[in-house]
Amino acid sequence: QVQLVESGGGLVQAGGSLRLSCAASGRTWSSSGMAWFRQAPGKEREFVAAITGPGDYTRYTDSVKGRWTISRDNAKDTVYLQMNSLKPDDTAVYYCAARRWSNYSTQKSAYEFWGQGTQVTVSS
């Protein structure tokens, strides 16, 4: 059974840090491009960061560049999102996503597998 399980969300003050994890199971994930998306209340789900299957290329939305880092450990079938310098605007539910292809995409429709989400709340 294919499964993505996010963890690491929580409540943090502005300027603080969190690290999200996405544990994948049910298939070989080292060949899958993976990404993080987020959805704030009343807004569309939006792209945050992505990484290729081997982990050699990454992509970020402009608002998180220089603050956050996506990485993966294929030996553990886990993808991470290190979030530093958090802002109240970063408050959202964060979703892990995976696709059958090794390259990444910034489009939601390109991802076949999704986690259940983890809440991140940044207080001012």
Side-chain angles (χ1 to χ4, degrees):
Q1 180 181 358
V2 173
Q3 195 171 19
L4 300 175
V5 179
E6 301 98 334
S7 62
L11 173 64
V12 64
Q13 287 188 330
S17 298
L18 284 174
R19 188 176 82 155
L20 304 184
S21 298
C22 172
S25 60
R27 67 187 299 269
T28 301
W29 294 101
S30 60
S31 59
S32 294
M34 299 187 72
W36 290 94
F37 288 77
R38 65 186 178 186
Q39 187 166 16
K43 294 187 177 181
E44 293 284 324
R45 191 171 299 188
E46 64 175 2
F47 168 78
V48 174
I51 189 167
T52 55
D56 49 355
Y57 292 98
T58 58
R59 175 82 178 266
Y60 299 90
T61 192
D62 286 346
S63 63
V64 309
K65 283 180 182 177
R67 298 191 296 134
W68 298 5
T69 302
I70 187 171
S71 62
R72 65 191 298 162
D73 184 342
N74 285 339
K76 297 181 179 179
D77 285 334
T78 302
V79 175
Y80 305 97
L81 185 66
Q82 177 66 44
M83 306 186 296
N84 299 327
S85 303
L86 281 159
K87 304 175 181 179
D89 284 350
D90 296 320
T91 295
V93 177
Y94 284 73
Y95 296 91
C96 175
R99 61 197 306 257
R100 298 183 189 276
W101 305 103
S102 184
N103 59 334
Y104 60 65
S105 172
T106 63
Q107 303 301 310
K108 297 188 296 291
S109 58
Y111 293 86
E112 295 89 355
F113 308 105
W114 290 85
Q116 81 290 348
T118 185
Q119 177 70 48
V120 171
T121 303
V122 184
S123 63
S124 57

